[in-house]
Amino acid sequence: DAKTTQPPSMDCAEGRAANLPCNHSTISGNEYVYWYRQIHSQGPQYIIHGLKNNETNEMASLIITEDRKSSTLILPHATLRDTAVYYCIVESNFGNEKLTFGTGTRLTIIP
Amino acid sequence: GAVVSQHPSRVICKSGTSVKIECRSLDFQATTMFWYRQFPKQSLMLMATSNEGSKATYEQGVEKDKFLINHASLTLSTLTVTSAHPEDSSFYICSASPSSQGPRSYNSPLHFGNGTRLTVT
């Protein structure tokens, strides 16, 4: 079962920051937070992941609350190509490596 | 970055025939690959874990005799849908990690192929 809760859909204006929330209140100490996105008819694309600290890469920033029960993915300047379903996944980094996908958030970037 | 390639990207077959889908890790080796299935407007569902040199591990409810998995090398896993039926029509996606030989390193997340859309007529 998915261990995360995400809003089913969100809209964001092109050029603005898209902030996608995720609740993972039952996360355990050895579980990471992973974000993937899936553009229509393609395989999921890895975006970013983190354990405790905030992370940033060329695609996005990940903000994890101090208690680790929630996180926010930030796309700083959304473009139309960022329209996709975004999945927040928590998973241990040891042993079993499979990822369990929830229903994700369908992000639509509005021109 | 790590690249996972799937072939074919799209296939149409007649009911009762078998279809083979290939998943390759192009620039890394993976002892473990994962096969997912996605029906329209639904999320990805894990079907099985493919283990190089040994039998695949299937998720509950997935018929191992219908979905044959072969992981003959460290860079190739195949999924064969046998005696396909229209209800098997779906989007099949594989994934692998460069660190699939043990605990995943912090910088080696799972990477996914671009999927195979199977239509059974």
Side-chain angles (χ1 to χ4, degrees):
Chain A
D1 293 331
K3 305 174 188 176
T4 62
T5 304
Q6 298 177 252
S9 64
M10 290 181 64
D11 292 341
C12 178
E14 187 179 15
R16 305 296 291 268
N19 297 278
L20 293 93
C22 180
N23 286 325
H24 30 80
S25 58
T26 61
I27 192 171
S28 59
N30 64 349
E31 289 183 319
Y32 285 72
V33 180
Y34 289 84
W35 282 85
Y36 284 78
R37 72 180 181 185
Q38 187 177 25
I39 296 170
H40 183 61
S41 295
Q42 296 183 23
Q45 177 189 22
Y46 166 78
I47 302 174
I48 199 167
H49 72 288
L51 181 63
K52 297 180 187 177
N53 300 321
N54 298 336
E55 302 286 345
T56 295
N57 62 21
E58 65 278 3
M59 290 183 69
S61 295
L62 173 60
I63 308 299
I64 303 174
T65 58
E66 193 170 342
D67 63 7
R68 303 211 318 127
K69 292 187 177 181
S70 66
S71 61
T72 301
L73 178 74
I74 301 172
L75 307 179
H77 304 287
T79 70
L80 298 178
R81 288 178 292 182
D82 292 322
T83 292
V85 178
Y86 286 76
Y87 296 98
C88 168
I89 302 167
V90 297
E91 187 242 340
S92 170
N93 206 34
F94 298 96
N96 188 346
E97 302 177 8
K98 63 185 179 184
L99 295 180
T100 301
F101 285 78
T103 53
T105 296
R106 181 172 296 278
L107 175 67
T108 302
I109 306 302
I110 310 297
Chain B
V3 177
V4 175
S5 174
Q6 266 185 258
H7 179 79
S9 58
R10 189 178 290 267
V11 59
I12 301 173
C13 72
K14 292 186 176 180
S15 187
T17 61
S18 295
V19 173
K20 180 185 284 188
I21 302 169
E22 292 186 348
C23 178
R24 294 181 185 273
S25 54
L26 295 187
D27 51 358
F28 65 95
Q29 295 182 334
T31 55
T32 304
M33 292 184 178
F34 302 92
W35 287 96
Y36 290 81
R37 178 168 55 181
Q38 186 176 33
F39 292 107
K41 298 189 177 181
Q42 294 186 23
S43 188
L44 284 78
M45 295 297 295
L46 181 68
M47 297 176 66
T49 302
S50 170
N51 302 299
E52 188 267 338
S54 64
K55 292 183 179 180
T57 305
Y58 291 82
E59 296 298 302
Q60 190 172 8
V62 178
E63 301 175 56
K64 64 179 181 180
D65 294 330
K66 180 171 183 61
F67 298 99
L68 300 180
I69 291 174
N70 186 299
H71 194 150
S73 78
L74 288 172
T75 59
L76 173 64
S77 174
T78 61
L79 169 67
T80 301
V81 183
T82 63
S83 187
H85 291 286
E87 56 265 33
D88 297 324
S89 298
S90 189
F91 192 48
Y92 293 86
I93 309 166
C94 70
S95 68
S97 166
S99 297
S100 292
Q101 295 187 10
R104 187 183 316 158
S105 72
Y106 186 81
N107 293 319
S108 299
L110 275 179
H111 293 273
F112 289 79
N114 258 337
T116 298
R117 186 161 302 282
L118 170 63
T119 303
V120 184
T121 61

